[in-house]
Amino acid sequence: MPQISVIIPAYKTQQYIERCIYSVLGQTLGDIEIILVNDSSPDNTLSMMEQIASTWSGDKTIRIISHEQNRGLSAARNTGLASAQGEFIYFLDSDDYIAPNALETLLRLAQAEDSPVTIGGVLQVDQEDTPLDHQICHIKDTVLKGKEEILHALQILDIYISGWNKLVRRDWLLENNILFDEGYLHEDWPWCLRLALRADKIICSTHICYYYVCRPGSITDGKDLNKCFKIAQMIQKLVEILDENGERETMNSWAFARAQELRGHISLNFKGIAKNIVMAHCFSLLPASFATGILSSKKRACLKLWKILPSWVRHAALRHLAGK
């Protein structure tokens, strides 16, 4: 059994995939299997994977799994997890890369503290590998213990919301059925929430393990009507998870903050009547208290009107905005 299975889902990242894979092949830790999941990428991503795998003869193993059709990041991660054999799982996005001693560092910490989850530091860089002035991922050197402490850390973003750069025990993940929800945007949110709800201990380290490459055209970049709706659906999923686990009161402000981010995203990307329609539709999917606490009186009036409109009128308005 390898110590770590590194799962790399890939879709249209031919410009980045080689550096990503070689950052794992160059790890100081040797006992690693690399699982490359080709999510039916239409470019040269798969052929580049195959070229690297066919010529590699080092101490790490490479396996390639291909989806027959594009199924999204969540499905690709789940496919990799189902095939993994390592004691630990580490997700790495195909346009990012890791420091040479990242996995050895995280494994040493995980084994020393017998922790199911270990998180390393992140550095955001541009496409030329220059560190960005504004870093959104902040972490402290600490060992979080107990649900209350862990949920508080998630709430104040001392645990950053991502599937990547977290070393997690595979058997623990499977025993707790912590998979990625498919068909959503920001699938990292519920995954991280479930991780925090189930873990009795999480180790955090400031050691820079992961280089997050900010690039145009990534899955979280750009203006898209459907993306706004999927974010709203994801926030509703967070509320459902909190209700199921009896933590709605404890973590409601965290889900509320995600809704505030959604409002900001809509305001930034849409103007005039389009903004009112998108805002009304998205917040119609969320708890009423979110609209009361976040939206202006004008926006709440638009939401009220939106809810009483015939469904065919709402659908027609949304199709018009989508250009269909």
Side-chain angles (χ1 to χ4, degrees), residues 106 119-123 137 139 160 165 205-211:
L106 294 176
I119 306 173
V122 180
L123 186 66
C137 298
I139 197 169
Y160 48 81
N165 200 32
S205 170
T206 57
H207 181 86
I208 299 299
C209 295
Y210 197 97
Y211 292 89

Side-chain angles (χ1 to χ4, degrees), residues 8-10 13-22 36 44-45 48-49 52 94-95:
I8 306 176
T13 52
Q14 62 180 21
Q15 182 180 348
Y16 307 94
I17 188 66
E18 184 174 355
R19 178 180 62 184
C20 176
I21 296 172
Y22 276 112
L36 306 173
N44 293 321
T45 298
M48 296 179 72
M49 288 177 174
I52 295 171
S94 59
D95 49 356

Side-chain angles (χ1 to χ4, degrees), residues 27 80 90 165 167 185 195 243 246 264:
Q27 289 295 297
Y90 185 87
N165 200 32
L167 189 70
L185 191 65
L195 214 67
D243 284 339

Side-chain angles (χ1 to χ4, degrees), residues 62-77:
I62 302 175
R63 288 191 284 134
I64 301 175
I65 304 172
S66 287
H67 286 167
E68 293 185 1
Q69 60 185 12
N70 180 249
R71 294 170 53 194
L73 178 60
S74 291
R77 285 173 170 170

